[in-house]
Amino acid sequence: SNINVWLNLLHPDDYEPTMKIVKAHREKKTMDLQIEHRMLHANGSYKWILNWGKVIERDDIGVALRAAGIHMDVTERKNAERALIESEQKYSALVEQANEGIIINQDWKIKYCNKYVCKILGYSEEEILDAPTDKFIHKDFIDDVKDKYKKRIAGEMTKSLYESYAVKKDGTPVPIEINSSFMIFNGKPATQSIIRDILTGKKSKKV
């Protein structure tokens, strides 16, 4: 039967989840059937298929007799999604392993920081995230950094690379170099900044 041919073409890993959805629809638990799964192509490869269908005829006791639907090849979209995920994972790994601090500042709060920022400041990630940015800037430099942040968010001209002072958890001031740029984060304006510990950099050069 057609259903058996279809089942034989299903990717083995997709068989069980697909059948669960088919069974639920046959038992009137869903209005229609919609699932993405892989099917064996004539060339021997597997293609991603968007399968939409609906039972259109049942017998007197409700057993499904006939169904209608469409199969759409969505392989290109699935491959693009996979490539995007892999790219994001590689970028995330690169950011986390960087020997420079990277932060995202939005609404004058730290919305993201990598591990190196924690190392520079002596705070845990939990202590940094969503905290006001003032908390990590030396009091003599807060106005300057905030002014540059506001101008960058507003699209005005301001220095992207400059030096300042951060403050560690124990109160120790840390000379830093900040390189900031505008970005959109979760649909809202923000800045992404690369933070370099100037003191550590100078020590490294002397070694």
Side-chain angles (χ1 to χ4, degrees), residues 72-84:
M72 184 182 300
D73 186 342
V74 292
T75 304
E76 287 189 12
R77 175 174 64 77
K78 295 293 286 189
N79 288 342
E81 289 174 354
R82 184 176 61 188
L84 179 60

Side-chain angles (χ1 to χ4, degrees), residues 52-95:
W52 179 88
K54 186 174 184 178
V55 171
I56 58 174
E57 184 180 348
R58 296 179 183 272
D59 64 16
D60 293 340
I61 60 173
V63 176
L65 298 176
R66 285 199 304 152
I70 58 170
H71 282 184
M72 184 182 300
D73 186 342
V74 292
T75 304
E76 287 189 12
R77 175 174 64 77
K78 295 293 286 189
N79 288 342
E81 289 174 354
R82 184 176 61 188
L84 179 60
I85 291 171
E86 290 175 352
S87 175
E88 289 175 343
Q89 289 174 339
K90 289 177 181 177
Y91 177 74
S92 178
L94 181 65
V95 167

Side-chain angles (χ1 to χ4, degrees), residues 9-119:
L9 295 176
L10 268 178
H11 191 286
D13 293 344
D14 296 338
Y15 182 87
E16 186 175 342
T18 299
M19 290 311 298
K20 283 182 179 179
I21 292 176
V22 171
K23 183 174 183 290
H25 183 55
R26 281 178 170 174
E27 295 174 354
K28 299 182 180 181
K29 293 178 181 178
T30 59
M31 293 293 292
D32 59 14
L33 178 153
Q34 185 170 324
I35 187 172
E36 292 182 357
H37 57 71
R38 289 159 290 183
M39 291 190 71
L40 186 63
H41 191 269
N43 65 11
S45 67
Y46 279 95
K47 299 286 187 179
W48 277 100
I49 302 298
L50 170 61
N51 184 352
W52 179 88
K54 186 174 184 178
V55 171
I56 58 174
E57 184 180 348
R58 296 179 183 272
D59 64 16
D60 293 340
I61 60 173
V63 176
L65 298 176
R66 285 199 304 152
I70 58 170
H71 282 184
M72 184 182 300
D73 186 342
V74 292
T75 304
E76 287 189 12
R77 175 174 64 77
K78 295 293 286 189
N79 288 342
E81 289 174 354
R82 184 176 61 188
L84 179 60
I85 291 171
E86 290 175 352
S87 175
E88 289 175 343
Q89 289 174 339
K90 289 177 181 177
Y91 177 74
S92 178
L94 181 65
V95 167
E96 284 302 319
Q97 295 168 14
N99 288 323
E100 297 171 324
I102 299 175
I103 66 169
I104 293 176
N105 188 357
Q106 188 178 69
D107 299 328
W108 199 238
K109 291 182 178 180
I110 306 300
K111 294 297 182 179
Y112 169 81
C113 69
N114 68 350
K115 293 177 182 177
Y116 202 79
V117 171
C118 299
K119 181 180 178 180

Side-chain angles (χ1 to χ4, degrees), residues 138-152:
H138 190 281
K139 59 183 179 63
D140 292 342
F141 292 83
I142 290 176
D143 289 344
D144 178 60
V145 175
K146 194 167 189 175
D147 179 65
K148 289 180 172 63
Y149 166 81
K150 287 182 175 179
K151 286 181 177 178
R152 188 162 290 106

